[in-house]
Every structure is written in structure tokens, then in C-alpha cells.
Amino acid sequence: EEAIAHINTYGSGHTDAIVTEEQSAADLFLSQVASAGVFHNCSTRFADGFRYGFGAEVGISTQKMPPRGPVGLEGLVTYKYQLIGNGHVVATYSGPEAKSFTHRNLSQ
């Protein structure tokens, strides 16, 4: 909770990550950190409009009102991104033998 308060007070609002095996800590972090991107057990280098499936990224916004996060053509909608990994790094998803990205909406 102290780390979350520190991030929400002094962070950039862009992208923040937690590395933990404790699911309750990760859940709290993902729901309470007020950044455009909050990640669990994966690289913050995933914070990119192309990797989110937007095509060309035209900017990035850290404000809470639209647009937020990487800004593509549909940049007038507010988003919060939660990535959950297991030590994933961006290099696995680039180059000639790159893994493909899977995009899906999470149920509310």
C-alpha cells in the first residue's frame, strides 16, 4: 500500500509494474495504481500502441481523462491496461521467430 501511494503521488502516470508471486498483492497493485498501464510480472516495454493492437501510435497520454495511454485513431476513449505475465520480455515478441500477440477484452 505504501508503494502504491508513492507511485500515485510521485509517478509519471505512464506505466508501472509489480513483480510478485503473491496474487493478492498483484491484484491490489493492478486495481489501485492510477497509471495508464499497470503490469504484473512482465516488462514495461510492452507499453506501446502497436503492441496493444492499435496500429500506428500517434502519441501517449498520462492524464486520467481521454485520451489515456498510447493514443491511436480511437484516442478519445479512456483505457487502463493490465498485463499479467510470468517473466515475459518484449524480445520474445519481435524478430523473425516472434510470438504473436493475443488481444482480448477482460470480463468486468
Side-chain angles (χ1 to χ4, degrees):
E1 291 175 354
E2 288 180 34
I4 292 168
H6 181 85
I7 290 167
N8 287 341
T9 301
Y10 300 106
S12 69
H14 186 284
T15 304
D16 292 287
I18 185 171
V19 176
T20 183
E21 292 181 5
E22 187 178 328
Q23 191 61 50
S24 61
D27 292 343
L28 183 66
F29 184 89
L30 293 171
S31 68
Q32 298 300 311
V33 168
S35 295
V38 287
F39 301 170
H40 174 208
N41 287 353
C42 55
S43 170
T44 57
R45 291 188 64 200
F46 282 109
D48 177 79
F50 175 76
R51 292 185 176 108
Y52 287 166
F54 298 156
E57 182 178 316
V58 296
I60 183 77
S61 175
T62 58
Q63 65 182 3
K64 291 183 184 179
M65 294 301 296
R68 184 174 195 202
V71 180
L73 296 177
E74 297 181 16
L76 298 178
V77 179
T78 300
Y79 299 98
K80 180 174 181 177
Y81 303 93
Q82 296 184 359
L83 275 67
I84 300 169
N86 188 16
H88 290 80
V89 295
V90 170
T92 309
Y93 297 86
S94 62
E97 296 181 30
K99 287 186 177 183
S100 61
F101 289 97
T102 302
H103 302 95
R104 65 181 175 87
N105 290 329
L106 299 175
S107 60
Q108 294 293 328

